[in-house]
Each structure stands twice: as C-alpha cells, then as structure tokens.
Amino acid sequence: MRDEEHLRPRPANFNPLTPLDFLDHAVNSLPTKTAVVWRDRSWTWSEFHQIVLRLAKALKDRGIQKGDVVSIMCPNRPEMLAAHYAIPALGAVLNSVNTRIEAKDVAFILKHAESRLILADPTCADDARKAAQETGVPIEVFAEDGESGDGLKLLSGERPPEIDLIAEITDEWQPIALNYTSGTTGNPKGVVLHHRGAWLNAVGNITALQFNDKTAYLWTLPMFHCNGWCHTWSITAAGGTHVCLDKVVPEAVFEAMDRIGVTHLSCAPVVLYMLINSDAKEKRDASRRITVATGGAAPTASLIKQMDALGFDFIHLYGLTECYGPTSIRELNEHEAGLDVEERANLLARQGVRHLSANRIRVVNDEGAEVPADGTTVGEIVLTGNTLLAGYYRNPDETEKAFAGGGFHTGDLAVRHPDGHIEIKDRAKDVIITGGENVSSLEVEDVLSKHPDVAIAAVVAKPDEKWGEIPMAFIEAKSGTSPQPETLETFCREHLPGFKIPRAWAFCELPKTATGKIQKYVLREQAAEKAAGANG
C-alpha cells in the first residue's frame, strides 16, 4: 500500500491517549452518578469534576505550568484523587509522595524532582513542612474537612472556570507522573510514567479485575503507591465509585463494605491479616462476595481459607512501579476454585500471566535466552511492551542499565510453569517486602554497622504469616561485647522508619565465602527454618 500524505493523523482523527479523557467521559455520560464517597459525604461525577477544577485553578494561580512537577503527600481522600486529574490537566507532572517516609526522605524527593510545589494533608503536614523549608519549595495544606477552617478548601465553593482537561496533552509520551522507588539499593530513583502507559494499564485493569459502572472500589491501597496501581484512573474509566478511607482500620473497612456495598479492594497482605484478626469481621455478610487483589507475598492456605469464609475472592497480582503497577495476574478458573485449599494456595502463590494491555513477560537466563517452561529452571523476569516507564529521571546510566538487551530487567528471579504461568523464587537485589513496603537490606545493615557493639550485620527476609516477610538481622558482635535485641531496636529507631526495623534477631559468627563475602543464602535458610519452627 502506498504511503499517502492525506492518510496521516490529523486533529480530527487523532488525540494523544490520556487517562484524563476518562473523567471527561464520566462527567458527560454519568453526571449524577455517585463518583466519590468519603467519611459521611459523597459527590457525583459532576461535583467531583468541580473539585478537580478548583484544584486546577489553585495550582494555576500559584504559577504552575506545563512541565512543572507538583508533589502531594496525602492519604486516600478526595483531594488526592483529584490531584491525579488536576495536575496533569495543566500539563504538569504528578509526584505522589509516600506518607510513611520521614522529612529528610521527602526533602530528597522534592530536591531531586525539582518540585515547584508540595500539597499536603494535615496528618502529613509536619514532615512536609520540614522538607519544604529545607528545600525552599512552597507548600499548601488542605483544610482538615476540605471545606472549612484553615487550609486549602476544595470540596465545596463557587463554581470554578471550565478548562479542557486534555488540551495540554499534546504528546501521549508526555510525563503524567514521577514516582519514586523505595530506595532499595541506595537513594530512590524517580520513575517517569507517561500518559500513554497510564491509559493502557488503566484499561487493562478494567478487563483483568472486571470493573464496571456497578463497581464500588474501597481505597485500602494507598493512592501514593504507584498511583494506586492506576486504579485512580481505572475506576473512573469504568464509571464506578471511589470509596475513600483516611486510614485502614478494620472497623471502618467492614462498615464501608456493608454501608456502601463494596465490590472490590486492593491491598498488601498485611491488610488482609488485619481484617481476619479483627472482631469486626463477625458482622460481615459472607454471602456478598468481594474481589480482593493483592501482591507482594504469596498467600498461605490458612489466609485463603479464612478470606473465603469472609466472602472474599482472592486474586494475586505482580508488578512494579516501573510498569505502572500490575503487569500479571493469577486468579482461579472454575475448576481450580473447587480444589482443596492447599492446592488453591499453591496455584495462587504464582504471579500468573500478563493481562490484556500489560507487558510481555519473559523469563531469561544470563545469555538472554528464554528458560524452559518446566517449573524449575530459574531466570530473570524481563518485560517489553507499552506499559513501561520512559526512564529514570536525571539518571541515564540506570535507565540504560535497566533496558539493556532490549527489555526491562526487573531483578526478580522466577520460573515458568508448563501452563505459562510465572512464579517468583527470589529477589535479585535482596529486597524485603514487609506489609507491602520495600525494605533495603543494605540500608538496615548500614545502620546496624554503626552501632559500637556490632562488627558485621547481615539482614535477610524471614517468612511471616501476617506481614509476608519481616527483616531478620544476623549480628556478629565485636569482641568483648554482648549487644541485645532491645538495645539494637532502640538504636535502629533513631535512624529508620518503624517498618524497616528488624523484628527477629540472631547473634552468631556469620557464614562467609573464602573471599570473605557473607553467604546470605545460608542465612535465608536459617531464617526460613526459624519461621517454620515457630509455625510448627
């Protein structure tokens, strides 16, 4: 076929893909349908649109322009959701900051991101203000209830001026978000995500998790975590309802399920353990099934059995910040759902296969060749496709390293089963995932090594039924000293967030190779044995 000029894209038949279009669709097709629920209030899609426009105006009045980075440190409330539309609608870039990190870490992100403004919820305001003062970045704090008292009031008020939500999106490769990793190998890296990938992964989530206009999605997953796995945009695209929670408390979760008729939620495994161990579960109507998507740790047979009794259908997801959240899914088919609980747990421990719009998943050896699908040969997970980061901000070396050989190297080691499903066996970078949060063993070891009684410290993951994994520290003490767990915990607390502090300890001479390197695989085996002994 001939390449003719008149067949090329033009404004009438081509618009850049952007998830902002989902809000435009919802406002025009479902204006009176409930869009957002928070505390004892709710807003229709038309009313939520007004919140977005108020935030866009506030940002514009503060000089925010196309290409500027705007940071936000906020739990799951309507303004946080609105930021996912208002900030990119100005052509600016959304930088969602983990609400659990300390002021010095927030300051690093603000400085590295070259942020022009930080927005904060009152519960995060102290750390946000300290970081803003250190970096010279202006700060705006939301009013506690969103509409009265001190702070930025967006949840009610005069009708703001209309803007075209997609007018500033002139290229679908344009950045929509800048998300920082957990810093598992040093300082966190800034992951640049584009409008095209966000649109595609959001649509893929709809098909994978079967969102629709009857969906009531409970926000137990932090929206700051990889933009809520793109569900901040997926639920809007489906015309569902966002049910916001300030804080994940079992009583509030179960109350929302009953009062609002929740159909879906996503979370780290630790949230599931909170629910099954709460007395509030006694009021749960298990006949109303709820789809629960989780990732970060393989589900145990005990967890699946207890979740099933509470009326939860379990789905296992796998992904990274670098691929917009979930890129693979493992759910049970009709036959598998009838298997005994142990067999179901074994199947759901796998990370599954890619969903419709996600990346192609390869498991390769050191030479880049596919490993056989035998369920035993281990290789690295490498991704290729449209839902991958553009690159790491201000870090070309790490970008080139990650994409070496024509695919994105995840650092996760896995096998592929004969049915095509992948299953992670190890994490190449010694990352410990505890309650859905990544912990760098190197960071914890660095802190412990500064204690005057510690000669060498090695930290590995110890399996834990509640948290998935917990950090376990193996300590080789200096001669003549006898450090105690309580002393080291206190020392760690001065330098680390609570979730990074080891919760299991061993004091011994560390196993080493002939060249003096610590044999961490030996320590992992010891940690697993201790976990098995505790559960036996």
PDB file of all heavy atoms in Angstrom, residues 291-314:
ATOM      1  N   THR A 291     -14.209  -8.998  45.556  1.00  0.00           N
ATOM      2  CA  THR A 291     -12.953  -9.356  44.904  1.00  0.00           C
ATOM      3  C   THR A 291     -11.804  -8.604  45.563  1.00  0.00           C
ATOM      4  O   THR A 291     -11.839  -7.371  45.660  1.00  0.00           O
ATOM      5  CB  THR A 291     -12.993  -9.013  43.405  1.00  0.00           C
ATOM      6  OG1 THR A 291     -14.036  -9.771  42.784  1.00  0.00           O
ATOM      7  CG2 THR A 291     -11.663  -9.336  42.731  1.00  0.00           C
ATOM      8  N   VAL A 292     -10.806  -9.352  46.018  1.00  0.00           N
ATOM      9  CA  VAL A 292      -9.637  -8.769  46.674  1.00  0.00           C
ATOM     10  C   VAL A 292      -8.402  -9.052  45.833  1.00  0.00           C
ATOM     11  O   VAL A 292      -8.086 -10.207  45.559  1.00  0.00           O
ATOM     12  CB  VAL A 292      -9.439  -9.347  48.093  1.00  0.00           C
ATOM     13  CG1 VAL A 292      -8.181  -8.776  48.729  1.00  0.00           C
ATOM     14  CG2 VAL A 292     -10.650  -9.063  48.960  1.00  0.00           C
ATOM     15  N   ALA A 293      -7.718  -8.000  45.412  1.00  0.00           N
ATOM     16  CA  ALA A 293      -6.471  -8.136  44.651  1.00  0.00           C
ATOM     17  C   ALA A 293      -5.309  -7.751  45.553  1.00  0.00           C
ATOM     18  O   ALA A 293      -5.341  -6.703  46.201  1.00  0.00           O
ATOM     19  CB  ALA A 293      -6.502  -7.230  43.419  1.00  0.00           C
ATOM     20  N   THR A 294      -4.296  -8.596  45.583  1.00  0.00           N
ATOM     21  CA  THR A 294      -3.150  -8.326  46.454  1.00  0.00           C
ATOM     22  C   THR A 294      -1.874  -8.806  45.785  1.00  0.00           C
ATOM     23  O   THR A 294      -1.898  -9.546  44.804  1.00  0.00           O
ATOM     24  CB  THR A 294      -3.329  -9.017  47.821  1.00  0.00           C
ATOM     25  OG1 THR A 294      -2.306  -8.579  48.721  1.00  0.00           O
ATOM     26  CG2 THR A 294      -3.258 -10.521  47.692  1.00  0.00           C
ATOM     27  N   GLY A 295      -0.754  -8.355  46.297  1.00  0.00           N
ATOM     28  CA  GLY A 295       0.546  -8.748  45.770  1.00  0.00           C
ATOM     29  C   GLY A 295       1.619  -8.438  46.792  1.00  0.00           C
ATOM     30  O   GLY A 295       1.380  -7.751  47.791  1.00  0.00           O
ATOM     31  N   GLY A 296       2.829  -8.951  46.540  1.00  0.00           N
ATOM     32  CA  GLY A 296       3.934  -8.667  47.443  1.00  0.00           C
ATOM     33  C   GLY A 296       4.358  -9.853  48.277  1.00  0.00           C
ATOM     34  O   GLY A 296       5.490  -9.928  48.723  1.00  0.00           O
ATOM     35  N   ALA A 297       3.440 -10.790  48.511  1.00  0.00           N
ATOM     36  CA  ALA A 297       3.770 -12.002  49.249  1.00  0.00           C
ATOM     37  C   ALA A 297       2.772 -13.078  48.857  1.00  0.00           C
ATOM     38  O   ALA A 297       1.586 -12.797  48.671  1.00  0.00           O
ATOM     39  CB  ALA A 297       3.711 -11.757  50.753  1.00  0.00           C
ATOM     40  N   ALA A 298       3.248 -14.303  48.717  1.00  0.00           N
ATOM     41  CA  ALA A 298       2.373 -15.399  48.309  1.00  0.00           C
ATOM     42  C   ALA A 298       1.364 -15.705  49.413  1.00  0.00           C
ATOM     43  O   ALA A 298       1.716 -15.765  50.591  1.00  0.00           O
ATOM     44  CB  ALA A 298       3.206 -16.636  47.998  1.00  0.00           C
ATOM     45  N   PRO A 299       0.102 -15.910  49.066  1.00  0.00           N
ATOM     46  CA  PRO A 299      -0.907 -16.216  50.080  1.00  0.00           C
ATOM     47  C   PRO A 299      -0.731 -17.620  50.641  1.00  0.00           C
ATOM     48  O   PRO A 299      -0.378 -18.553  49.923  1.00  0.00           O
ATOM     49  CB  PRO A 299      -2.221 -16.110  49.298  1.00  0.00           C
ATOM     50  CG  PRO A 299      -1.840 -16.441  47.887  1.00  0.00           C
ATOM     51  CD  PRO A 299      -0.465 -15.869  47.699  1.00  0.00           C
ATOM     52  N   THR A 300      -0.970 -17.780  51.922  1.00  0.00           N
ATOM     53  CA  THR A 300      -0.905 -19.095  52.553  1.00  0.00           C
ATOM     54  C   THR A 300      -2.274 -19.773  52.470  1.00  0.00           C
ATOM     55  O   THR A 300      -3.303 -19.123  52.258  1.00  0.00           O
ATOM     56  CB  THR A 300      -0.502 -18.976  54.031  1.00  0.00           C
ATOM     57  OG1 THR A 300      -1.532 -18.241  54.729  1.00  0.00           O
ATOM     58  CG2 THR A 300       0.823 -18.242  54.172  1.00  0.00           C
ATOM     59  N   ALA A 301      -2.263 -21.084  52.655  1.00  0.00           N
ATOM     60  CA  ALA A 301      -3.526 -21.824  52.650  1.00  0.00           C
ATOM     61  C   ALA A 301      -4.445 -21.322  53.754  1.00  0.00           C
ATOM     62  O   ALA A 301      -5.658 -21.193  53.577  1.00  0.00           O
ATOM     63  CB  ALA A 301      -3.258 -23.322  52.816  1.00  0.00           C
ATOM     64  N   SER A 302      -3.862 -21.015  54.911  1.00  0.00           N
ATOM     65  CA  SER A 302      -4.651 -20.516  56.039  1.00  0.00           C
ATOM     66  C   SER A 302      -5.329 -19.200  55.691  1.00  0.00           C
ATOM     67  O   SER A 302      -6.514 -18.994  55.984  1.00  0.00           O
ATOM     68  CB  SER A 302      -3.758 -20.339  57.267  1.00  0.00           C
ATOM     69  OG  SER A 302      -4.465 -19.733  58.318  1.00  0.00           O
ATOM     70  N   LEU A 303      -4.577 -18.288  55.037  1.00  0.00           N
ATOM     71  CA  LEU A 303      -5.150 -16.995  54.666  1.00  0.00           C
ATOM     72  C   LEU A 303      -6.303 -17.180  53.679  1.00  0.00           C
ATOM     73  O   LEU A 303      -7.374 -16.581  53.835  1.00  0.00           O
ATOM     74  CB  LEU A 303      -4.069 -16.094  54.061  1.00  0.00           C
ATOM     75  CG  LEU A 303      -4.548 -14.753  53.511  1.00  0.00           C
ATOM     76  CD1 LEU A 303      -5.168 -13.902  54.610  1.00  0.00           C
ATOM     77  CD2 LEU A 303      -3.401 -13.997  52.846  1.00  0.00           C
ATOM     78  N   ILE A 304      -6.100 -18.003  52.665  1.00  0.00           N
ATOM     79  CA  ILE A 304      -7.132 -18.205  51.650  1.00  0.00           C
ATOM     80  C   ILE A 304      -8.402 -18.786  52.275  1.00  0.00           C
ATOM     81  O   ILE A 304      -9.530 -18.362  51.975  1.00  0.00           O
ATOM     82  CB  ILE A 304      -6.610 -19.123  50.528  1.00  0.00           C
ATOM     83  CG1 ILE A 304      -5.528 -18.389  49.723  1.00  0.00           C
ATOM     84  CG2 ILE A 304      -7.738 -19.568  49.603  1.00  0.00           C
ATOM     85  CD1 ILE A 304      -4.826 -19.248  48.713  1.00  0.00           C
ATOM     86  N   LYS A 305      -8.223 -19.748  53.168  1.00  0.00           N
ATOM     87  CA  LYS A 305      -9.371 -20.371  53.821  1.00  0.00           C
ATOM     88  C   LYS A 305     -10.160 -19.353  54.645  1.00  0.00           C
ATOM     89  O   LYS A 305     -11.397 -19.307  54.590  1.00  0.00           O
ATOM     90  CB  LYS A 305      -8.892 -21.519  54.712  1.00  0.00           C
ATOM     91  CG  LYS A 305     -10.019 -22.334  55.349  1.00  0.00           C
ATOM     92  CD  LYS A 305      -9.449 -23.509  56.129  1.00  0.00           C
ATOM     93  CE  LYS A 305     -10.557 -24.360  56.724  1.00  0.00           C
ATOM     94  NZ  LYS A 305     -10.000 -25.536  57.472  1.00  0.00           N
ATOM     95  N   GLN A 306      -9.457 -18.519  55.398  1.00  0.00           N
ATOM     96  CA  GLN A 306     -10.140 -17.532  56.240  1.00  0.00           C
ATOM     97  C   GLN A 306     -10.764 -16.415  55.412  1.00  0.00           C
ATOM     98  O   GLN A 306     -11.852 -15.935  55.747  1.00  0.00           O
ATOM     99  CB  GLN A 306      -9.141 -16.951  57.248  1.00  0.00           C
ATOM    100  CG  GLN A 306      -8.664 -17.969  58.278  1.00  0.00           C
ATOM    101  CD  GLN A 306      -7.669 -17.379  59.256  1.00  0.00           C
ATOM    102  OE1 GLN A 306      -8.047 -16.701  60.220  1.00  0.00           O
ATOM    103  NE2 GLN A 306      -6.380 -17.616  59.025  1.00  0.00           N
ATOM    104  N   MET A 307     -10.095 -16.014  54.324  1.00  0.00           N
ATOM    105  CA  MET A 307     -10.670 -14.982  53.462  1.00  0.00           C
ATOM    106  C   MET A 307     -11.922 -15.501  52.762  1.00  0.00           C
ATOM    107  O   MET A 307     -12.904 -14.776  52.588  1.00  0.00           O
ATOM    108  CB  MET A 307      -9.640 -14.524  52.435  1.00  0.00           C
ATOM    109  CG  MET A 307      -8.425 -13.814  53.018  1.00  0.00           C
ATOM    110  SD  MET A 307      -8.832 -12.319  53.958  1.00  0.00           S
ATOM    111  CE  MET A 307      -9.367 -11.237  52.649  1.00  0.00           C
ATOM    112  N   ASP A 308     -11.890 -16.768  52.336  1.00  0.00           N
ATOM    113  CA  ASP A 308     -13.046 -17.370  51.684  1.00  0.00           C
ATOM    114  C   ASP A 308     -14.244 -17.392  52.628  1.00  0.00           C
ATOM    115  O   ASP A 308     -15.381 -17.120  52.226  1.00  0.00           O
ATOM    116  CB  ASP A 308     -12.693 -18.787  51.220  1.00  0.00           C
ATOM    117  CG  ASP A 308     -13.815 -19.415  50.413  1.00  0.00           C
ATOM    118  OD1 ASP A 308     -14.087 -18.925  49.301  1.00  0.00           O
ATOM    119  OD2 ASP A 308     -14.420 -20.388  50.900  1.00  0.00           O
ATOM    120  N   ALA A 309     -13.978 -17.687  53.905  1.00  0.00           N
ATOM    121  CA  ALA A 309     -15.052 -17.728  54.887  1.00  0.00           C
ATOM    122  C   ALA A 309     -15.686 -16.360  55.108  1.00  0.00           C
ATOM    123  O   ALA A 309     -16.853 -16.252  55.495  1.00  0.00           O
ATOM    124  CB  ALA A 309     -14.528 -18.273  56.218  1.00  0.00           C
ATOM    125  N   LEU A 310     -14.901 -15.307  54.830  1.00  0.00           N
ATOM    126  CA  LEU A 310     -15.419 -13.942  54.973  1.00  0.00           C
ATOM    127  C   LEU A 310     -16.058 -13.422  53.686  1.00  0.00           C
ATOM    128  O   LEU A 310     -16.506 -12.283  53.628  1.00  0.00           O
ATOM    129  CB  LEU A 310     -14.282 -12.996  55.386  1.00  0.00           C
ATOM    130  CG  LEU A 310     -13.834 -13.057  56.844  1.00  0.00           C
ATOM    131  CD1 LEU A 310     -12.632 -12.156  57.076  1.00  0.00           C
ATOM    132  CD2 LEU A 310     -14.981 -12.666  57.781  1.00  0.00           C
ATOM    133  N   GLY A 311     -16.053 -14.253  52.635  1.00  0.00           N
ATOM    134  CA  GLY A 311     -16.707 -13.850  51.393  1.00  0.00           C
ATOM    135  C   GLY A 311     -15.808 -13.104  50.434  1.00  0.00           C
ATOM    136  O   GLY A 311     -16.285 -12.336  49.607  1.00  0.00           O
ATOM    137  N   PHE A 312     -14.486 -13.345  50.527  1.00  0.00           N
ATOM    138  CA  PHE A 312     -13.541 -12.664  49.651  1.00  0.00           C
ATOM    139  C   PHE A 312     -13.004 -13.623  48.586  1.00  0.00           C
ATOM    140  O   PHE A 312     -12.531 -14.721  48.906  1.00  0.00           O
ATOM    141  CB  PHE A 312     -12.362 -12.112  50.455  1.00  0.00           C
ATOM    142  CG  PHE A 312     -12.744 -11.035  51.428  1.00  0.00           C
ATOM    143  CD1 PHE A 312     -12.476 -11.165  52.785  1.00  0.00           C
ATOM    144  CD2 PHE A 312     -13.367  -9.881  50.998  1.00  0.00           C
ATOM    145  CE1 PHE A 312     -12.810 -10.172  53.689  1.00  0.00           C
ATOM    146  CE2 PHE A 312     -13.713  -8.877  51.894  1.00  0.00           C
ATOM    147  CZ  PHE A 312     -13.443  -9.024  53.233  1.00  0.00           C
ATOM    148  N   ASP A 313     -13.062 -13.206  47.332  1.00  0.00           N
ATOM    149  CA  ASP A 313     -12.455 -13.942  46.224  1.00  0.00           C
ATOM    150  C   ASP A 313     -11.087 -13.347  45.949  1.00  0.00           C
ATOM    151  O   ASP A 313     -10.956 -12.148  45.691  1.00  0.00           O
ATOM    152  CB  ASP A 313     -13.333 -13.852  44.978  1.00  0.00           C
ATOM    153  CG  ASP A 313     -14.680 -14.520  45.190  1.00  0.00           C
ATOM    154  OD1 ASP A 313     -14.708 -15.579  45.840  1.00  0.00           O
ATOM    155  OD2 ASP A 313     -15.693 -13.973  44.721  1.00  0.00           O
ATOM    156  N   PHE A 314     -10.069 -14.199  45.969  1.00  0.00           N
ATOM    157  CA  PHE A 314      -8.671 -13.774  46.012  1.00  0.00           C
ATOM    158  C   PHE A 314      -8.047 -13.755  44.621  1.00  0.00           C
ATOM    159  O   PHE A 314      -8.176 -14.713  43.860  1.00  0.00           O
ATOM    160  CB  PHE A 314      -7.914 -14.746  46.928  1.00  0.00           C
ATOM    161  CG  PHE A 314      -6.599 -14.255  47.429  1.00  0.00           C
ATOM    162  CD1 PHE A 314      -6.494 -13.637  48.654  1.00  0.00           C
ATOM    163  CD2 PHE A 314      -5.454 -14.415  46.674  1.00  0.00           C
ATOM    164  CE1 PHE A 314      -5.278 -13.195  49.133  1.00  0.00           C
ATOM    165  CE2 PHE A 314      -4.228 -13.992  47.133  1.00  0.00           C
ATOM    166  CZ  PHE A 314      -4.144 -13.369  48.371  1.00  0.00           C
TER     167      PHE A 314
END
